[in-house]
Amino acid sequence: MTSIDDVARAAGVSIATVSRALRGLPNVSDATRSRVKTVADELGYVASAGASGLASGRTLTMGVVVPSVSRWFYQMALEGIDEELRRANYDMMLFNLAARKGDRERVFHRSILRKRTDALIALCLEFTPSEREQLLSLGHPTIVIGGPVKGIRHIGIDERATARAATQHLITLGHRRIAHVGGDDDEGLNRRVPLDRRRGFRDAMEAAGLAVRPEWLLSGRFSLAPSRAVVNEMLASAERPTAIVANSDEMAIGAIMAAHDSGLQVPGDLSVIGIDNHDLAESFGLTTMAQDPFEQGALGARILLDDLGGIVPPRRTSVTAPSHLIVRTSTAPPIH
Amino acid sequence: MTSIDDVARAAGVSIATVSRALRGLPNVSDATRSRVKTVADELGYVASAGASGLASGRTLTMGVVVPSVSRWFYQMALEGIDEELRRANYDMMLFNLAARKGDRERVFHRSILRKRTDALIALCLEFTPSEREQLLSLGHPTIVIGGPVKGIRHIGIDERATARAATQHLITLGHRRIAHVGGDDDEGLNRRVPLDRRRGFRDAMEAAGLAVRPEWLLSGRFSLAPSRAVVNEMLASAERPTAIVANSDEMAIGAIMAAHDSGLQVPGDLSVIGIDNHDLAESFGLTTMAQDPFEQGALGARILLDDLGGIVPPRRTSVTAPSHLIVRTSTAPPIH
DNA sequence: TTGAAAGCGTTACCAC
DNA sequence: GTGGTAACGCTTTCAA
């Protein structure tokens, strides 16, 4: 509750000087500055964020919109964003949509627009036209991580090429009967991601002249248990694939577990490849197309902070993040 | 950028009236209120959080301090907190310590104290005396979730009793040679949690007159891979336990995987029980002592919001959250 | 029911 | 190098 006046009085200077001294601005004598700092410390004074935001127009806060906080990709991206923010002394305001359609309106309208953030970073979201308009009308730097959104710059891997490379890996090993575990994501998330990945799968199959069988296009709802279930079902039929491409590592692990459920060996009877390089991938020996959401998040934050810094002109272009193959023990040539 | 004056002007009323109308305060005629609302909507006006915080003293923001965002417990608690906050129209400021000792000072001093939050909720943290003092001097409602902290109310399960119950389950099944996978957590987290759980293990063993062998007290560093490694090592020795109690489900899953690595059957050759009821527990058929961090987080938030509401006198007591046994397929009587 | 005006705690500009 | 003083955009009393 001690405010700037208290410090000014105790240090025998004006509040203007206190403000300058504490923020490291020039035109304060060393003697004064150190006295002010000491006094402020003793009094436990810290400037009120709200007041300085009002006066300066900068809140030193970044808004982060996430669809949920309980998925690997978002966690990693969050940590990456956080890493950059703390470096710049920025705080983070977290807006969790929690996949609740109804709350989006609230978040977009009431919270985000309340001028309490200097910039906004959104993870893997799809926006309605009205939402996008609100964002843009806000006028502050914005970036999307995870999936391309029309009219907003974004950071993300080339989804299609990544899925193609995953599929290609299996084809190169000699597989010809390959299934795909994809599936729509929750509503409101970026639907292009699963679609693009499936398209990449198709690309590779067609390029190799292999058939894409409709009954081998599964939906694993982006998580382990559903994936395990559908893969188990597929493995029960007369004819089964020798390999599986999954849209995410969690689903790939579900596929591996399904193989075990069905008494099949991985990679002996079934090869499995995922996308992500999830924390658990190594433990399961999962071959995967690795991406680095931590770094994607960090880069996004860095770009926004640069924009805010105003030193360099804001970059208007999107960034394609790298992905690369990590071969472990879940893939091998098929046994003929 | 449109501010209250714009609305006032456009609606032909004073800013005071706009403020009252928009916030649903009494003493505004229906006609006026609806006109103001319409105008505000058209202009896309939303009150500035900073300004209203300054004027009213309430920021409508809750601070949440987490050690990291990538562990199941924290994720769930965060989602629970978030659920309550949105209900009360509160926003969330996330302070991620990310286990970096050095940043704690920054978080505690610069950020948290900046009067930008009305209340604070901390997850599984241990505080230095100075940190605790700063928190308390802030004077706003605070609560800890996860581990007891001296002088601050908290919400959490009875760690000791929970671990005791887990061990008891194995003993009841007939096990006599039981190992424990515990291990210190990262620095700065609440160290009482792992200690109390190990103590609970000891309690149950001693009560049953069973020996606690030092070489069967393992450290799995609270995650899957390290746990798997140490358990593998243990299983390689001549004499091995018939059952394992792990301090967390992630470590328990590591133990299950280790059993497989070693060619042992679960639960045939080795029973495993965990604590948490992690998302993956069901997929692994893991028997566990379930707790509900989502609910713990939600409750914490609710308590703080109640305090802020000022309707009821703030509750000063801590809350013991429930935990209960869920039997799946990872535990069974030992084969003699 | 409404309006005027005094804060709220800073920052930033302009004098000195 | 330092101090005075308008903003900043609201909320909240007090009068009307």
Side-chain angles (χ1 to χ4, degrees), chain B residues 302-303 305-315:
Chain B
R302 222 174 300 137
I303 290 176
L305 291 169
D306 283 351
D307 287 0
L308 292 169
I311 315 284
V312 288
R315 69 179 301 159

Side-chain angles (χ1 to χ4, degrees), chain A residues 105 108-109 113 127-137:
Chain A
E105 156 71 11
F108 276 89
H109 196 266
L113 305 176
F127 298 106
T128 66
S130 127
E131 285 170 351
R132 183 168 54 239
E133 194 188 337
Q134 294 195 325
L135 282 187
L136 295 176
S137 80

Side-chain angles (χ1 to χ4, degrees), chain B residues 228-307:
Chain B
R228 183 183 189 175
V230 293
V231 172
N232 255 323
E233 211 174 313
M234 175 181 67
L235 294 178
S237 20
E239 225 190 355
R240 44 181 178 68
T242 63
I244 292 179
V245 178
N247 262 358
S248 77
D249 280 359
E250 287 190 61
M251 293 195 289
I253 291 172
I256 291 180
M257 293 179 79
H260 292 151
D261 294 341
S262 307
L264 299 176
Q265 296 292 324
V266 173
D269 304 311
L270 186 73
S271 281
V272 178
I273 187 171
I275 294 176
D276 273 349
N277 198 29
H278 188 286
D279 281 341
L280 291 175
E282 186 167 11
S283 289
F284 281 88
L286 181 65
T287 295
T288 191
M289 292 297 302
Q291 68 166 323
D292 188 347
F294 182 98
E295 192 43 52
Q296 292 173 37
L299 177 58
R302 222 174 300 137
I303 290 176
L304 293 181
L305 291 169
D306 283 351
D307 287 0

Side-chain angles (χ1 to χ4, degrees), chain A residues 69-127:
Chain A
V69 89
S70 31
R71 223 187 257 177
W72 176 81
F73 187 92
Y74 308 135
Q75 292 158 28
M76 292 300 123
L78 264 184
E79 301 270 13
I81 292 165
D82 185 73
E83 168 112 344
E84 284 306 316
L85 293 189
R86 63 197 330 131
R87 206 173 269 174
N89 264 276
Y90 259 71
D91 287 326
M92 181 194 296
M93 193 115 227
L94 186 67
F95 303 107
N96 183 6
L97 296 180
R100 271 167 292 219
K101 193 69 181 172
D103 277 340
R104 293 178 67 115
E105 156 71 11
R106 201 188 66 80
V107 166
F108 276 89
H109 196 266
R110 198 193 68 79
S111 296
I112 296 188
L113 305 176
R114 288 198 87 197
K115 310 163 181 105
R116 43 171 45 175
T117 57
D118 294 340
L120 193 73
I121 190 162
L123 300 193
C124 292
L125 294 170
E126 197 170 55
F127 298 106

Side-chain angles (χ1 to χ4, degrees), chain A residues 108-189:
Chain A
F108 276 89
H109 196 266
R110 198 193 68 79
S111 296
I112 296 188
L113 305 176
R114 288 198 87 197
K115 310 163 181 105
R116 43 171 45 175
T117 57
D118 294 340
L120 193 73
I121 190 162
L123 300 193
C124 292
L125 294 170
E126 197 170 55
F127 298 106
T128 66
S130 127
E131 285 170 351
R132 183 168 54 239
E133 194 188 337
Q134 294 195 325
L135 282 187
L136 295 176
S137 80
L138 239 186
H140 64 209
T142 303
I143 201 165
V144 169
I145 295 184
V149 170
K150 202 171 67 182
I152 306 185
R153 22 176 210 179
H154 88 281
I155 298 177
I157 60 173
D158 183 330
E159 309 289 354
R160 191 167 176 177
T162 300
R164 198 187 312 131
T167 312
Q168 189 58 52
H169 169 67
L170 296 174
I171 294 174
T172 303
L173 285 174
H175 292 276
R176 301 187 59 77
R177 287 161 34 217
I178 309 176
H180 184 253
V181 183
D184 295 334
D185 207 331
D186 294 330
E187 200 177 351
L189 298 195

